[in-house]
Amino acid sequence: YGFYDLTQIQLDFFLAVASHYPTRLFFPLLSAKPGHDAWNFAARFYERYIQGHTSESVGDAESTSTLPANARLFDGDKSRSYAKADKKWHCRIVNSFGIHDEVATTAKEILRRVDDGKLAFHEIGVVARSLESYGTAIRECFAQHRIPLAGRLEEPLVLFPLTKAVILLLNLPAKDYLRSQVIDLLASPYLQLQKLAADPANARPDLWDLATRELAICQGVSEWRRLRRFTQRDLLLRQISDDDEAQVIRIAAAQLTALADVVDALVADLAGLPSQATWREYSARWQALLEKYLGISATEETGTEDASPKQAILEVLDQLAGLDKIEDNVSLGDFSHTFEHWLERATVTEDRRNRDGVMGLGATAARGLSFRVLFVLGMNEGVFPRTIREDAFLRDRDREVLETDLGYKVNQKLTGYDEEKLLFTL
């Protein structure tokens, strides 16, 4: 596994393994004097933590008379000699407006090159600094252009509508059943109305929205109970337009009764959650609630469209259950906050690495791979290179003391600019 930097725990683990078993480390290193700006980040780690542990010479690290052509990138010493660039190498910069325009331009250029018959899809790579912001756009745009996509694609879990419905359900007690959130949840296509309403086929969330606005329901269980006044009579909405012909919207009592029943069921189930419990107990209770209201079940078939986000949500609950080893009891508010926090930071991974198609990769995963044509997306300041700031509580000068004098591996934040140069070069 070729790394160029490790945390303290990873480094200790690596050195422990290397001290007991024969180990070969593949390390990106370009030895040159004076030092090369694009390789300083890797060279610094190698000199401090790796060099003293090896008993063999380091490849061709000393052959610094003529550097490869691409070593001109970020080289502060312009007097160095470089090998001639291959005549087949071509570089072109294309300006686009926004992520979607950028990806669409890439897709059209890929099709143009493949249509010539001289290039196959698997010989093309598309790389971004991170696929967190580009992954969804690449997947959707390439599907529209019928371009096969390979790679290990990750998408934030919170972008899925199902996850947003889970967060709505999770926050209802904390928001005191805010009208807008209750209606958004009831209008979700994932809500299991067949389990909650007496006549789910005729349930009309759009009419429920109009009725709650007319009744001026804002939040609080007591305001939602006003719906029970209309179990025997219809609700007539006020005339809100200046049209010559008056229009009256009549919402049937059956609709208001169905809405009141669904809200009462929500309140009863959420109010039944204990104020204090173990992480595992809360996880089990929420798993049952998610199955009842949103159909999230561990028995979901893997071939369905929503199987991946459902599985990812259940995995987050399983991970939360494991926190019992750290803390026995937790409050409902802390559990809900932690659950939402983990959902917002979880990802759904789609493994397409065995497919024959254009390889979509993040910059760190693309190191060491070769392509005949490579598209690098997001070459904008703040994206690639990423925005880097010092830690407000532990400044770089203090980090340097911890690392050089005390031996604790704590990277300086501003050295991240050197890492960006190294990543782009690799």
Side-chain angles (χ1 to χ4, degrees):
Y1 180 81
F3 57 77
Y4 59 82
D5 188 32
L6 292 177
T7 64
Q8 182 70 64
I9 294 176
Q10 292 169 336
L11 178 62
D12 291 342
F13 175 73
F14 170 73
L15 294 178
V17 172
S19 65
H20 289 81
Y21 298 94
T23 305
R24 174 170 291 178
L25 168 66
F26 294 92
F27 195 82
L29 188 65
L30 181 67
S31 180
K33 293 182 181 179
H36 195 294
D37 288 351
W39 299 84
N40 280 340
F41 190 86
R44 189 182 302 116
F45 177 83
Y46 176 81
E47 292 168 358
R48 292 182 181 179
Y49 301 102
I50 302 298
Q51 194 167 19
H53 296 276
T54 179
S55 58
E56 299 179 6
S57 60
V58 184
D60 57 351
E62 300 302 324
S63 59
T64 58
S65 56
T66 302
L67 297 181
N70 63 344
R72 291 180 184 273
L73 287 170
F74 311 114
D75 189 4
D77 186 0
K78 301 303 180 183
S79 63
R80 267 195 278 254
S81 59
Y82 308 93
K84 291 185 178 181
D86 193 316
K87 293 182 179 180
K88 297 181 180 179
W89 290 1
H90 299 283
C91 178
R92 187 156 67 101
I93 299 174
V94 180
N95 295 316
S96 301
F97 182 79
I99 289 178
H100 293 281
D101 188 26
E102 194 174 2
V103 175
T105 303
T106 301
K108 289 175 172 56
E109 181 66 16
I110 289 174
L111 291 178
R112 186 184 70 82
R113 290 181 172 272
V114 172
D115 285 345
D116 294 341
K118 299 179 181 179
L119 201 65
F121 283 119
H122 68 270
E123 297 175 308
I124 303 174
V126 177
V127 174
R129 177 61 178 88
S130 171
L131 290 182
E132 183 174 344
S133 56
Y134 279 90
T136 302
I138 291 175
R139 184 184 292 104
E140 293 176 353
C141 185
F142 279 31
Q144 292 172 0
H145 288 78
R146 299 297 187 266
I147 297 175
L149 185 61
R152 193 170 182 270
L153 305 177
E154 290 187 354
E155 189 171 2
L157 180 59
V158 74
L159 294 182
F160 288 88
L162 178 60
T163 310
K164 295 177 181 178
V166 172
I167 294 176
L168 284 173
L169 179 62
L170 189 65
N171 285 325
L172 284 185
K175 301 293 185 180
D176 198 16
Y177 301 94
L178 187 66
R179 190 204 73 86
S180 60
Q181 293 200 354
V182 172
I183 295 299
D184 285 345
L185 176 63
L186 299 185
S188 172
Y190 299 100
L191 187 72
Q192 304 293 295
L193 278 175
Q194 67 274 13
K195 299 179 181 178
L196 305 172
D199 187 11
N202 294 320
R204 293 281 304 275
D206 57 329
L207 295 181
W208 296 351
D209 184 21
L210 293 175
T212 52
R213 290 177 187 272
E214 176 68 18
L215 295 176
I217 295 175
C218 181
Q219 64 184 136
V221 177
S222 59
E223 293 192 13
W224 285 100
R225 285 174 180 159
R226 274 194 253 139
L227 293 168
R228 292 298 180 185
R229 301 174 186 174
F230 295 89
T231 55
Q232 302 297 328
R233 58 191 176 98
D234 297 345
L235 175 65
L236 300 179
L237 267 61
R238 295 174 295 179
Q239 176 70 27
I240 57 176
S241 66
D242 297 327
D243 296 341
D244 294 337
E245 184 178 352
Q247 296 181 359
V248 178
I249 298 179
R250 180 185 297 272
I251 300 179
Q255 290 289 339
L256 299 174
T257 301
L259 174 58
D261 291 342
V262 172
V263 172
D264 285 348
L266 273 170
V267 172
D269 285 336
L270 294 175
L273 293 171
S275 58
Q276 291 276 341
T278 64
W279 291 95
R280 187 169 298 278
E281 182 179 352
Y282 273 135
S283 296
R285 296 287 291 269
W286 271 106
Q287 186 169 343
L289 287 174
L290 294 181
E291 182 175 358
K292 176 180 179 181
Y293 286 98
L294 299 175
I296 300 177
S297 172
T299 59
E300 179 73 23
E301 295 182 4
T302 56
T304 59
E305 182 180 354
D306 298 313
S308 295
K310 287 182 179 181
Q311 188 62 33
I313 292 169
L314 293 176
E315 287 176 359
V316 171
L317 280 174
D318 289 339
Q319 292 170 4
L320 287 172
L323 293 180
D324 278 347
K325 298 178 181 178
I326 301 175
E327 186 178 9
D328 292 338
N329 285 328
V330 64
S331 68
L332 177 59
D334 287 343
F335 179 89
S336 300
H337 177 75
T338 306
F339 189 17
E340 181 179 0
H341 182 80
W342 285 22
L343 286 175
E344 291 173 347
R345 283 152 183 79
T347 58
V348 174
T349 302
E350 185 178 359
D351 197 342
R352 301 185 178 188
R353 286 176 292 184
N354 292 327
R355 297 188 183 183
D356 185 12
V358 175
M359 185 69 74
L361 297 163
T364 52
R367 294 178 293 123
L369 300 181
S370 299
F371 302 97
R372 289 183 62 192
V373 175
L374 178 66
F375 296 88
V376 184
L377 307 179
M379 295 301 300
N380 304 310
E381 187 175 355
V383 180
F384 195 2
R386 60 188 170 89
T387 300
I388 299 169
R389 298 184 179 90
E390 277 196 76
D391 192 314
F393 297 99
L394 191 60
R395 311 297 286 184
D396 274 1
R397 60 179 179 271
D398 302 318
R399 289 169 175 266
E400 184 179 9
V401 172
L402 289 173
E403 185 173 14
T404 58
D405 295 352
L406 301 180
Y408 298 107
K409 189 180 183 306
V410 183
N411 283 346
Q412 299 176 47
K413 290 293 185 179
L414 294 183
T415 59
Y417 284 113
D418 290 334
E419 181 182 8
E420 297 300 289
K421 296 176 183 178
L422 175 67
L423 271 178
F424 184 79
T425 303
L426 293 176

